[in-house]
Amino acid sequence: MKRFFTLMKNELKLNIRDMNMVIFALIMPLAVFIVLGLIYRSKPAFEGADYTFLEQSFGAVCAVSICAGGLMGLPLVVADYREKKILKRFKATPASPGLLLGAELAIYMLYCDVSLITLAIAAYISGAGFGGSLVKFLGSWALTAISTLSIGMMVGGLAKNSKQAGVIASILYFPALLFSGTTVPFEIMPKIMQKLVGLSPLTQGIGLMKSTFLGIPSGNTAAAILTMLLTTAVCTGISVKFFKWE
Amino acid sequence: MTAAVNVTGLTKSYGEKTVLKGLSLSVKSGTVFGLLGANGAGKTTTIECMLGIKKADSGTSSLLGLDPKKDRRRLFEQVGVQFQESQYQNEIRVNELCEETACLYSSPADWSELCKKFGIGDKLSAQVKSLSGGERQRLFIVLALIPKPKLVFLDELTTGLDARARRDVWKILSELKKEGLTIVLTSHFMDEVEALCDEICILKKGSPVFMGTVSEAKEKSGCEKFEDAYLILSEDNAE
């Protein structure tokens, strides 16, 4: 365990020094939430809704930081280490792929945690009310985070170099940001599009976070949980099994 | 004396180009073995195939009696490696790189002591990228020694070092050898090879053209100076 925490501590220092994740996983989601708050104030989500637009968006804004870490930060850092031959040096040590990926995963999980806390504070100040079950909401949040991060881990574990990882990351990150209900509300999309983006574990996660935050019934909870668990298991398995050092 | 390294029939090609042609060699425990040859002769590929970092097309490699592919994690508890190109994270500092390396081993050496020994003890909080070439080279030798290895691979160990630093490194390595360390190194400096190596192998286009001691090399080529002997032998295709 000591090797894990020492590795994580050093890698976290480097990550913070790099600033990218501080901006995209901490500051950006908070800024999005504040802007939404300023625009919508305490307007209801739709006419006659007994919750506000801001309350409805809380889960989606949490996903902004999850996407930044899982679909951008994590795959890029691992692929960059491969390209710079840092992983090659690790290959000539007793380090296992699980240790390296685990330490990086923990760092991005930490970013998600910190972001959640800052958003919760901002929500409290803005007067957004929490109407659901805290345990269920945190469970949905954790599942969303871990399944998205596992996708990033798989991309990082397999991409040849940081350029390839960058392309894959962009293909995943930007549509995720736009279409999974993170920025564009799921409800205003055409039916066919809803069906398509509904396949993504991120969309499922955001839907689940939303319903558990507001305390309203969700569509198909079991299917959403299953999709995310399956994604996590498959992606983690692939990333460790087929990990490329060089 | 047992063999610390045992390699048989190592072959490796990159596409059409064959880089190693069935190389076999063995390094006795507690000795220093030098791999020599011109640029592109296959020295680095030899080391990487021995270590299992690159997959050889055929042949076997056994280090300290272990198979580097199957027993990778157990093996690298006892084997240190300094690669020719040093690789490090962008913004990392010397102490962070040392600590991060040390944490991977079950009983690592005291790295700040090692840094002092190699003359970079005052650079611990400097960024690795801000070090001079020679300082960085010494740092990567330190990293290779952090596992308290029984066997260490040093690829072009003193490239970029000034004369003083080179002598210091030789002295430290000779001391470590006395304590039983086995060293496999590559070098382009013949004075260094002569000072350190018990046995050498001269590679030419992936095949050994000479294997033996420095004095045998001189004898065989009829030269008094080892550098001349090296030049003659590495151009000679007879063997």
Side-chain angles (χ1 to χ4, degrees), chain B residues 185-215:
Chain B
L185 59 84
T186 75
S187 177
H188 290 299
F189 299 102
M190 294 309 139
D191 53 345
E192 179 168 300
V193 172
E194 204 167 0
L196 288 174
C197 294
D198 299 299
E199 274 193 281
I200 55 165
C201 166
I202 301 176
L203 282 177
K204 188 182 177 186
K205 290 184 183 149
S207 303
V209 289
F210 174 82
M211 209 154 330
T213 63
V214 167
S215 46

Short mmCIF file of all heavy atoms in Angstrom, two decimals, chain B residues 185-215:
data_model
loop_
_atom_site.label_atom_id
_atom_site.label_comp_id
_atom_site.label_asym_id
_atom_site.label_seq_id
_atom_site.Cartn_x
_atom_site.Cartn_y
_atom_site.Cartn_z
N LEU B 185 27.67 -3.24 -19.25
CA LEU B 185 27.63 -1.85 -19.73
C LEU B 185 27.95 -1.78 -21.21
O LEU B 185 28.55 -2.69 -21.79
CB LEU B 185 28.59 -0.99 -18.92
CG LEU B 185 30.08 -1.33 -18.88
CD1 LEU B 185 30.82 -0.75 -20.08
CD2 LEU B 185 30.70 -0.77 -17.60
N THR B 186 27.52 -0.69 -21.82
CA THR B 186 27.97 -0.38 -23.17
C THR B 186 28.70 0.95 -23.08
O THR B 186 28.40 1.77 -22.20
CB THR B 186 26.80 -0.21 -24.17
OG1 THR B 186 26.18 1.06 -23.94
CG2 THR B 186 25.78 -1.31 -24.03
N SER B 187 29.68 1.12 -23.93
CA SER B 187 30.44 2.36 -23.87
C SER B 187 31.16 2.59 -25.20
O SER B 187 31.45 1.65 -25.94
CB SER B 187 31.46 2.28 -22.75
OG SER B 187 32.25 3.45 -22.74
N HIS B 188 31.39 3.85 -25.50
CA HIS B 188 32.21 4.18 -26.66
C HIS B 188 33.59 4.65 -26.25
O HIS B 188 34.40 5.03 -27.08
CB HIS B 188 31.52 5.27 -27.50
CG HIS B 188 30.29 4.79 -28.19
ND1 HIS B 188 30.33 3.78 -29.12
CD2 HIS B 188 28.99 5.14 -28.08
CE1 HIS B 188 29.09 3.55 -29.56
NE2 HIS B 188 28.26 4.36 -28.93
N PHE B 189 33.84 4.65 -24.92
CA PHE B 189 35.14 5.12 -24.45
C PHE B 189 36.02 3.93 -24.09
O PHE B 189 35.73 3.19 -23.16
CB PHE B 189 34.97 6.01 -23.22
CG PHE B 189 34.16 7.24 -23.50
CD1 PHE B 189 32.84 7.32 -23.11
CD2 PHE B 189 34.73 8.31 -24.18
CE1 PHE B 189 32.09 8.45 -23.38
CE2 PHE B 189 33.98 9.44 -24.46
CZ PHE B 189 32.65 9.51 -24.05
N MET B 190 37.09 3.75 -24.86
CA MET B 190 37.90 2.55 -24.68
C MET B 190 38.72 2.59 -23.39
O MET B 190 39.02 1.56 -22.81
CB MET B 190 38.82 2.36 -25.89
CG MET B 190 38.02 2.06 -27.14
SD MET B 190 36.82 0.71 -26.88
CE MET B 190 35.40 1.33 -27.75
N ASP B 191 39.06 3.81 -22.92
CA ASP B 191 39.80 3.90 -21.65
C ASP B 191 38.91 3.39 -20.51
O ASP B 191 39.36 2.69 -19.61
CB ASP B 191 40.26 5.34 -21.38
CG ASP B 191 39.12 6.35 -21.45
OD1 ASP B 191 38.04 6.01 -21.99
OD2 ASP B 191 39.30 7.48 -20.97
N GLU B 192 37.63 3.71 -20.62
CA GLU B 192 36.67 3.28 -19.62
C GLU B 192 36.51 1.75 -19.63
O GLU B 192 36.53 1.11 -18.58
CB GLU B 192 35.34 3.94 -19.98
CG GLU B 192 34.19 3.63 -19.10
CD GLU B 192 33.06 4.60 -19.43
OE1 GLU B 192 33.26 5.82 -19.30
OE2 GLU B 192 31.99 4.14 -19.87
N VAL B 193 36.40 1.22 -20.82
CA VAL B 193 36.25 -0.23 -20.96
C VAL B 193 37.47 -0.93 -20.38
O VAL B 193 37.37 -1.90 -19.64
CB VAL B 193 36.07 -0.59 -22.45
CG1 VAL B 193 36.11 -2.09 -22.65
CG2 VAL B 193 34.77 0.00 -22.98
N GLU B 194 38.64 -0.38 -20.70
CA GLU B 194 39.88 -0.98 -20.22
C GLU B 194 39.95 -0.91 -18.69
O GLU B 194 40.40 -1.84 -18.03
CB GLU B 194 41.08 -0.24 -20.83
CG GLU B 194 42.32 -1.09 -20.86
CD GLU B 194 43.42 -0.50 -21.74
OE1 GLU B 194 43.21 0.59 -22.32
OE2 GLU B 194 44.48 -1.12 -21.80
N ALA B 195 39.49 0.21 -18.13
CA ALA B 195 39.57 0.39 -16.68
C ALA B 195 38.57 -0.48 -15.93
O ALA B 195 38.83 -0.92 -14.81
CB ALA B 195 39.34 1.86 -16.32
N LEU B 196 37.43 -0.74 -16.54
CA LEU B 196 36.34 -1.38 -15.79
C LEU B 196 36.09 -2.84 -16.14
O LEU B 196 35.76 -3.65 -15.28
CB LEU B 196 35.03 -0.61 -16.01
CG LEU B 196 34.89 0.77 -15.36
CD1 LEU B 196 33.60 1.43 -15.82
CD2 LEU B 196 34.90 0.65 -13.84
N CYS B 197 36.21 -3.18 -17.44
CA CYS B 197 35.63 -4.45 -17.88
C CYS B 197 36.54 -5.65 -17.69
O CYS B 197 37.73 -5.61 -18.03
CB CYS B 197 35.23 -4.36 -19.35
SG CYS B 197 33.90 -3.20 -19.62
N ASP B 198 35.97 -6.73 -17.16
CA ASP B 198 36.70 -7.99 -17.07
C ASP B 198 36.65 -8.72 -18.40
O ASP B 198 37.59 -9.35 -18.82
CB ASP B 198 36.09 -8.88 -15.99
CG ASP B 198 36.16 -8.21 -14.62
OD1 ASP B 198 37.28 -7.95 -14.18
OD2 ASP B 198 35.10 -7.92 -14.04
N GLU B 199 35.47 -8.63 -19.02
CA GLU B 199 35.31 -9.28 -20.32
C GLU B 199 34.54 -8.35 -21.24
O GLU B 199 33.72 -7.55 -20.80
CB GLU B 199 34.53 -10.59 -20.17
CG GLU B 199 35.43 -11.77 -19.83
CD GLU B 199 34.67 -13.08 -20.01
OE1 GLU B 199 33.89 -13.42 -19.12
OE2 GLU B 199 34.87 -13.72 -21.07
N ILE B 200 34.82 -8.50 -22.53
CA ILE B 200 34.10 -7.66 -23.48
C ILE B 200 33.58 -8.50 -24.64
O ILE B 200 34.04 -9.62 -24.88
CB ILE B 200 35.00 -6.54 -24.07
CG1 ILE B 200 36.26 -7.16 -24.70
CG2 ILE B 200 35.36 -5.52 -23.02
CD1 ILE B 200 37.00 -6.20 -25.59
N CYS B 201 32.59 -7.93 -25.31
CA CYS B 201 32.09 -8.53 -26.54
C CYS B 201 31.98 -7.39 -27.54
O CYS B 201 31.38 -6.36 -27.26
CB CYS B 201 30.72 -9.16 -26.30
SG CYS B 201 29.84 -9.57 -27.79
N ILE B 202 32.63 -7.55 -28.68
CA ILE B 202 32.52 -6.52 -29.72
C ILE B 202 31.48 -6.98 -30.74
O ILE B 202 31.60 -8.07 -31.30
CB ILE B 202 33.88 -6.26 -30.41
CG1 ILE B 202 34.92 -5.83 -29.37
CG2 ILE B 202 33.73 -5.21 -31.49
CD1 ILE B 202 36.31 -5.65 -29.94
N LEU B 203 30.46 -6.14 -30.91
CA LEU B 203 29.39 -6.48 -31.85
C LEU B 203 29.62 -5.75 -33.16
O LEU B 203 30.05 -4.60 -33.19
CB LEU B 203 28.04 -6.04 -31.30
CG LEU B 203 27.37 -6.89 -30.22
CD1 LEU B 203 26.08 -6.21 -29.79
CD2 LEU B 203 27.08 -8.29 -30.73
N LYS B 204 29.32 -6.45 -34.23
CA LYS B 204 29.31 -5.79 -35.53
C LYS B 204 28.10 -6.28 -36.28
O LYS B 204 27.95 -7.47 -36.51
CB LYS B 204 30.59 -6.11 -36.30
CG LYS B 204 30.70 -5.27 -37.55
CD LYS B 204 31.92 -5.60 -38.33
CE LYS B 204 31.90 -4.77 -39.61
NZ LYS B 204 33.00 -5.14 -40.50
N LYS B 205 27.21 -5.37 -36.63
CA LYS B 205 25.97 -5.69 -37.34
C LYS B 205 25.26 -6.87 -36.71
O LYS B 205 24.82 -7.80 -37.40
CB LYS B 205 26.26 -5.95 -38.82
CG LYS B 205 26.64 -4.68 -39.55
CD LYS B 205 26.84 -4.94 -41.02
CE LYS B 205 27.30 -3.68 -41.72
NZ LYS B 205 28.18 -3.98 -42.87
N GLY B 206 25.18 -6.89 -35.41
CA GLY B 206 24.39 -7.90 -34.73
C GLY B 206 25.09 -9.23 -34.47
O GLY B 206 24.48 -10.16 -33.96
N SER B 207 26.37 -9.33 -34.84
CA SER B 207 27.10 -10.56 -34.55
C SER B 207 28.35 -10.23 -33.74
O SER B 207 28.97 -9.19 -33.95
CB SER B 207 27.54 -11.25 -35.84
OG SER B 207 26.43 -11.51 -36.63
N PRO B 208 28.73 -11.12 -32.84
CA PRO B 208 29.95 -10.87 -32.08
C PRO B 208 31.18 -11.15 -32.94
O PRO B 208 31.25 -12.18 -33.58
CB PRO B 208 29.86 -11.87 -30.92
CG PRO B 208 28.93 -12.94 -31.38
CD PRO B 208 28.04 -12.35 -32.42
N VAL B 209 32.10 -10.17 -33.00
CA VAL B 209 33.33 -10.40 -33.74
C VAL B 209 34.49 -10.68 -32.80
O VAL B 209 35.54 -11.14 -33.22
CB VAL B 209 33.68 -9.22 -34.68
CG1 VAL B 209 32.71 -9.18 -35.85
CG2 VAL B 209 33.65 -7.90 -33.92
N PHE B 210 34.28 -10.38 -31.52
CA PHE B 210 35.30 -10.74 -30.54
C PHE B 210 34.65 -10.94 -29.18
O PHE B 210 33.76 -10.19 -28.79
CB PHE B 210 36.37 -9.65 -30.43
CG PHE B 210 37.36 -9.92 -29.32
CD1 PHE B 210 38.42 -10.80 -29.52
CD2 PHE B 210 37.19 -9.35 -28.06
CE1 PHE B 210 39.30 -11.09 -28.48
CE2 PHE B 210 38.06 -9.64 -27.02
CZ PHE B 210 39.13 -10.51 -27.23
N MET B 211 35.10 -11.95 -28.46
CA MET B 211 34.65 -12.13 -27.09
C MET B 211 35.83 -12.57 -26.25
O MET B 211 36.54 -13.51 -26.61
CB MET B 211 33.52 -13.15 -27.04
CG MET B 211 32.63 -12.85 -25.90
SD MET B 211 30.92 -13.32 -25.87
CE MET B 211 30.18 -13.39 -27.38
N GLY B 212 36.10 -11.86 -25.14
CA GLY B 212 37.23 -12.22 -24.30
C GLY B 212 37.64 -11.06 -23.42
O GLY B 212 36.86 -10.13 -23.23
N THR B 213 38.86 -11.09 -22.91
CA THR B 213 39.32 -10.01 -22.05
C THR B 213 39.99 -8.93 -22.90
O THR B 213 40.29 -9.13 -24.08
CB THR B 213 40.35 -10.51 -21.02
OG1 THR B 213 41.49 -10.98 -21.74
CG2 THR B 213 39.78 -11.64 -20.18
N VAL B 214 40.22 -7.78 -22.26
CA VAL B 214 40.87 -6.67 -22.96
C VAL B 214 42.27 -7.09 -23.42
O VAL B 214 42.67 -6.81 -24.56
CB VAL B 214 40.93 -5.43 -22.04
CG1 VAL B 214 41.85 -4.38 -22.61
CG2 VAL B 214 39.53 -4.85 -21.85
N SER B 215 43.01 -7.79 -22.56
CA SER B 215 44.37 -8.16 -22.97
C SER B 215 44.36 -9.19 -24.09
O SER B 215 45.22 -9.17 -24.97
CB SER B 215 45.20 -8.63 -21.78
OG SER B 215 44.47 -9.55 -21.01
#
